[in-house]
C-alpha cells in the first residue's frame, strides 16, 4: 500500500472526526511533527491564501507521509490540471478545491458575450475528480517514484488502483450561493469524498458576514448535511475556530466528520496576544 494511511478515510469509516491542521505560513517541515504530537490527523496545506511554493508544499507533504499525518493541499481557484498534477506528484494525498459552483454540463456556446452569461466553473465537481484520478476514472498523467510510494519503482496498475482508491481524496469547498443551490447534484458526483463548507466566504455570499449563528447560515449548512447523507459523502467544516457551540452542533447534529481546527498563523497570533496580555499581571506580582 501507499506509505501513508489516509486518515480521512479511516476516521470517517470509524465514525470519528478527522481533525485538520492548517499551514499557510510555516515552511519548516518540523511543524508537521508538532501537529502530529498535538493529535491532529491531517494537514490542510494552503496554496490559495499563502505564498507557499510547490516545493514548500512537497516538503510539508512528504513530512506528513513520514510522520503519519495525511497531507491535503488546497489549490488556488481555477489553477488548472497541470498545477494539481504537481501537487499530487509532490506527495499530497488529496486536493481541496475552492469555490465550487456546480456539476452541471452546459452546451458549448462559442460567442463570448453568451458565454459570460453562464455560471462560472462549469462542471466544477466532475473536473475536480477528473484531474485528481488516473484513467479510467480521470485524466491524471502517470509518472514514477511518487512520494506516496516511498519513491520506489511501483507497477503502474498498483499505482493507479491505490492512488485512485486512497491517495487522491477529492475535497470540494462549498462557499458560494451557487454551490448551496446545487449541493445535491455536487454531492452525487462519483469520486467526490468531502463537501467542505468554507464558512467565511459562504457567510459573506449569503449576506451575513460572520453571522455563523444566523438562520440563513445554519440553513445552508443543513442543506449541505442532508445532501452529504443522501449521497454517502463526508461533510466538512472550515473557518470556525474556538466556537464550541457551533462545532458541537456541526459534529453531533450535522454529522461533520472533517474539520479544519486551526491555522498556524492564527495560533501564533492568538498565542502572542495571550502572552502580551499576561505580562502586566506578571510585572505587578513581581513588585515589592
Amino acid at each position: 500500500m501507499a506509505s501513508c494511511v489516509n486518515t480521512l478515510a479511516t476516521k470517517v469509516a470509524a465514525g470519528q472526526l478527522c481533525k485538520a491542521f492548517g499551514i499557510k505560513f510555516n515552511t519548516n517541515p518540523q511543524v508537521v511533527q508538532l501537529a502530529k504530537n498535538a493529535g491532529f490527523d491531517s494537514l490542510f496545506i494552503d496554496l490559495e491564501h499563502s505564498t507557499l511554493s510547490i516545493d514548500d508544499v512537497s516538503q510539508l507533504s512528504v513530512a506528513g507521509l513520514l510522520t503519519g499525518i495525511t497531507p491535503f493541499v488546497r489549490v488556488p481557484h481555477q489553477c488548472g490540471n497541470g498545477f494539481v498534477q504537481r501537487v499530487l506528484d509532490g506527495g499530497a494525498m488529496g486536493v481541496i478545491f475552492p469555490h465550487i459552483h456546480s456539476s452541471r454540463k452546459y452546451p458549448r456556446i462559442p460567442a463570448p458575450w453568451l458565454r459570460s452569461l453562464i455560471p462560472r466553473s462549469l462542471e466544477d465537481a466532475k473536473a475536480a475528480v477528473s484531474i485528481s484520478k488516473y484513467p479510467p476514472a480521470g485524466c491524471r498523467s502517470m509518472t514514477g517514484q511518487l512520494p506516496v510510494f516511498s519513491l520506489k519503482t511501483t507497477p503502474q496498475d498498483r499505482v493507479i488502483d491505490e492512488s485512485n482508491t486512497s491517495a487522491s481524496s477529492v475535497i470540494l469547498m462549498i462557499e458560494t450561493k451557487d454551490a448551496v443551490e446545487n449541493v445535491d447534484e455536487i454531492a452525487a458526483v462519483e469520486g467526490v469524498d468531502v463537501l467542505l463548507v468554507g464558512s467565511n466566504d459562504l457567510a459573506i455570499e449569503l449576506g451575513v458576514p460572520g453571522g455563523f449563528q444566523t438562520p440563513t447560515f445554519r440553513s445552508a449548512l443543513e442543506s449541505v448535511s442532508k445532501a452529504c447523507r443522501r449521497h454517502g459523502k463526508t461533510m466538512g467544516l472550515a473557518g470556525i475556530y474556538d466556537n464550541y457551540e457551533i462545532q458541537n452542533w456541526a459534529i453531533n447534529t450535522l454529522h461533520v466528520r472533517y474539520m479544519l481546527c486551526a491555522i498556524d498563523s492564527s495560533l501564533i497570533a492568538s498565542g502572542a496576544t495571550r502572552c502580551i496580555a499576561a505580562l502586566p499581571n506578571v510585572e505587578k506580582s513581581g513588585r515589592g
Side-chain angles (χ1 to χ4, degrees), residues 10 38 42 44 49 77-78 87 107 166 195 198 205 229 239:
T10 58
S42 70
F44 183 108
H49 293 297
H77 181 44
Q78 296 181 333
V87 165
S166 62
L195 300 190
E205 278 244 345
R229 281 183 278 179

Side-chain angles (χ1 to χ4, degrees), residues 222-271:
E222 288 168 348
S223 295
V224 176
S225 175
K226 291 176 183 177
C228 285
R229 281 183 278 179
R230 187 178 300 116
H231 296 285
K233 302 298 165 62
T234 299
M235 182 177 177
L237 183 67
I240 300 179
Y241 317 118
D242 300 322
N243 189 319
Y244 177 80
E245 181 182 352
I246 293 179
Q247 291 175 336
N248 183 58
W249 173 66
I251 294 169
N252 294 307
T253 301
L254 301 182
H255 302 283
V256 163
R257 291 295 178 265
Y258 176 72
M259 183 175 288
L260 177 58
C261 302
I263 298 285
D264 58 355
S265 57
S266 297
L267 289 176
I268 294 170
S270 61

Side-chain angles (χ1 to χ4, degrees), residues 29-155:
Q30 291 183 91
V31 72
V32 175
Q33 184 66 64
L34 293 176
K36 177 69 174 180
N37 293 348
F40 286 94
D41 307 299
S42 70
L43 301 175
F44 183 108
I45 304 171
D46 194 2
L47 275 172
E48 183 190 21
H49 293 297
S50 79
T51 58
L52 296 178
S53 69
I54 288 286
D55 187 56
D56 294 331
V57 169
S58 180
Q59 291 191 50
L60 292 166
S61 295
V62 170
L65 297 176
L66 296 174
T67 309
I69 178 170
T70 305
F72 299 130
V73 176
R74 176 164 68 176
V75 295
H77 181 44
Q78 296 181 333
C79 62
N81 186 339
F83 194 92
V84 171
Q85 171 93 29
R86 296 181 70 191
V87 165
L88 289 169
D89 287 353
M93 292 190 73
V95 180
I96 302 160
F97 295 88
H99 305 294
I100 295 298
H101 289 267
S102 77
S103 69
R104 291 180 182 147
K105 185 174 182 179
Y106 291 85
R108 184 175 181 180
I109 302 177
W113 68 273
L114 283 176
R115 192 182 302 119
S116 67
L117 301 178
I118 303 175
R120 295 171 297 165
S121 303
L122 307 183
E123 297 188 282
D124 285 340
K126 293 178 182 176
V129 172
S130 180
I131 62 181
S132 300
K133 306 291 183 180
Y134 291 113
C139 63
R140 181 180 172 185
S141 177
M142 178 62 67
T143 189
Q145 286 76 47
L146 290 164
V148 293
F149 293 95
S150 302
L151 303 182
K152 295 177 181 178
T153 300
T154 308

